[in-house]
Amino acid sequence: MANIKVIDVNVGVTAENDRLADAIRRRNLDNHTALFNMMASPGSGKTTLLLAIAETLREDFAIGVMEADIEATVDAEAMAAAGLRTMQVHTGGECAMDAAMTAKALDEFDGDDLDIIFLENVGNLVCPAEQDTGASRNVAILSIPEGDDKPLKYPLMFEICDAVIVSKIDTRMYFDFDDDAFRERVSELNPDCELFFLSAKTGEGVDAFCDWVKAQTLMVKKA
Amino acid sequence: MHEISVLKQAVDLAEQTAMDNGVTRIAYITLEVGELTGYLPVFFHKYFPVVTENKPIFEGTELHIISDAGEALCKDCEAMYNVMRCEGVCPVCGSRRKEILGGQDFLLKEIGICPEGMNNE
């Protein structure tokens, strides 16, 4: 072992991914496209919520949806049936999208003329938070049944988000979700994060989130 | 399972760095894993043979892992504590408000090369 030479590397393993992610952000700024990375657990209502907000936003913006899943095409089929420009990305067993996969998907999507692209990430509160996809904005969705303690268990997800949505508020009566405790836990991790409470099913609170998406999109377009 | 994709990125980075330096065989790589990344070294060891399969440069390569403690400074009483052991709560005053001082990084620290693993020698 005495003969072994050593190369001192000391580089963050995600450095290459971060470089690619920055390149995606630059490209989207040039194209005036806002890319929203939507992250959540399986079953939090990502697809239903996206259908609801796309319905409102499509009057003013050209919208595309990129569906990332380990397998299946059910989400993409639901989006396409609603008349949205859709693309299914299979991550090939990977538990989250990374910047290389997102760049490849953007190339194939040919979505440079779109105003907004929603990336529906793999359902998971851990891995998607670890990989920068190059999104303009990161959004986490947490449904009422999942509980107000999730920021304590998955802190990174709530640290990296620009907005957090609490979905399925129409199910409140069945669960003990403490809004104030949740608000406090999120703001401890991420004081600048915007918080939205909504139900895609009843439509309550959806407009406020759409207004935020609009404002963020216009910000990207003007930059 | 999230270890496998970041381990693959680490292996790719090591492979590229080694090739850039004219290395044909790597004796070992050292990864520094922050305690707060949530990555478990046991899975890195488990997946390493899978991720390096069919890569001759990694034949017989050892995986070394050093851990970086997840330390935090309490924003309310300025006590220093280990975030994992104390489950994110300051053991002195009970506050959750903190500044994380370390343990969030995942680094490729070094690559060890046997002399016979150099192209130019």
Side-chain angles (χ1 to χ4, degrees):
Chain A
M1 289 297 274
N3 283 329
I4 287 182
K5 281 185 151 185
V6 174
I7 304 174
D8 260 313
V9 189
N10 224 359
V11 168
V13 169
T14 57
E16 175 61 15
N17 186 71
D18 296 346
R19 193 189 59 76
L20 274 173
D22 286 338
I24 292 173
R25 267 185 289 272
R26 272 197 304 278
R27 163 186 173 168
N28 281 334
L29 279 179
D30 291 344
N31 293 331
H32 305 288
T33 304
L35 175 65
F36 291 86
N37 178 21
M38 311 295 284
M39 297 174 284
S41 320
S44 61
K46 289 186 290 302
T47 309
T48 311
L49 175 63
L50 280 177
L51 287 169
I53 56 182
E55 194 53 42
T56 307
L57 293 169
R58 67 198 302 178
E59 288 168 19
D60 300 320
F61 299 104
I63 300 175
V65 182
M66 222 184 261
E67 290 289 342
D69 286 293
I70 292 174
E71 283 195 58
T73 54
V74 284
D75 288 349
E77 284 161 20
M79 296 290 166
L84 290 163
R85 208 192 306 175
T86 308
M87 169 178 188
Q88 179 75 51
V89 184
H90 281 150
T91 58
E94 298 274 356
C95 46
M97 286 289 279
D98 62 18
M101 284 190 258
T102 307
K104 189 164 172 276
L106 284 171
D107 287 340
E108 287 172 20
F109 200 28
D110 194 20
D112 291 352
D113 58 320
L114 293 170
D115 300 307
I116 299 175
I117 299 176
F118 290 109
L119 165 60
E120 187 178 338
N121 214 317
V122 180
N124 179 332
L125 285 180
V126 182
C127 315
E130 293 165 354
Q131 302 282 352
D132 189 347
T133 57
S136 321
R137 300 290 184 272
N138 288 307
V139 180
I141 307 164
L142 182 86
S143 61
I144 291 281
E146 292 171 72
D148 52 57
D149 59 349
K150 292 303 166 285
L152 301 177
K153 296 188 176 180
Y154 306 96
L156 187 63
M157 176 58 76
F158 295 90
E159 270 168 36
I160 60 140
C161 276
D162 301 293
V164 170
I165 295 171
V166 176
S167 66
K168 304 192 187 179
I169 56 169
D170 52 306
T171 66
R172 263 182 196 296
M173 64 188 100
Y174 302 108
F175 300 96
D176 301 318
F177 192 98
D178 184 335
D179 287 13
D180 291 336
F182 182 76
R183 223 182 272 280
E184 199 182 316
R185 285 162 185 164
V186 172
S187 99
E188 270 173 18
L189 293 166
N190 186 349
D192 300 324
C193 182
E194 299 276 348
L195 207 50
F196 298 94
F197 289 79
L198 56 80
S199 163
K201 199 168 176 184
T202 66
E204 189 183 347
V206 171
D207 283 347
F209 179 65
C210 286
D211 288 345
W212 181 82
V213 172
K214 259 185 220 177
Q216 302 302 311
T217 303
L218 294 175
M219 225 183 276
V220 169
K221 285 185 158 304
K222 276 185 202 142
Chain B
M1 76 181 282
H2 59 160
E3 283 84 0
I4 199 159
S5 60
V6 288
L7 182 63
K8 190 175 175 302
Q9 289 176 32
V11 161
D12 289 346
L13 175 64
E15 186 178 25
Q16 191 58 51
T17 310
M19 290 192 322
D20 292 346
N21 285 280
V23 174
T24 53
R25 281 280 282 279
I26 298 174
Y28 69 85
I29 62 170
T30 305
L31 302 178
E32 182 180 294
V33 183
E35 229 183 351
L36 302 180
T37 58
Y39 301 144
L40 298 177
V42 59
F43 290 110
F44 285 132
H45 287 295
K46 188 172 171 184
Y47 297 141
F48 190 65
V50 179
V51 170
T52 55
E53 205 180 359
N54 300 324
K55 289 178 186 282
I57 199 169
F58 287 102
E59 220 178 279
T61 303
E62 284 177 22
L63 175 65
H64 298 176
I65 292 177
I66 47 182
S67 178
D68 180 33
E71 300 288 341
L73 184 69
C74 175
K75 280 190 177 172
D76 288 310
C77 77
E78 299 196 342
M80 268 247 285
Y81 63 95
N82 181 287
V83 179
M84 294 300 279
R85 263 201 307 279
C86 303
E87 296 182 353
V89 181
C90 173
V92 179
C93 75
S95 168
R96 285 189 173 275
R97 295 178 358 104
K98 56 185 159 305
E99 185 188 341
I100 306 280
L101 302 176
Q104 289 182 306
D105 291 332
F106 177 50
L107 305 176
L108 173 62
K109 287 295 278 186
E110 54 181 50
I111 302 172
I113 316 138
C114 312
E116 62 271 24
M118 295 293 292
N119 259 344
N120 51 0
E121 281 185 50

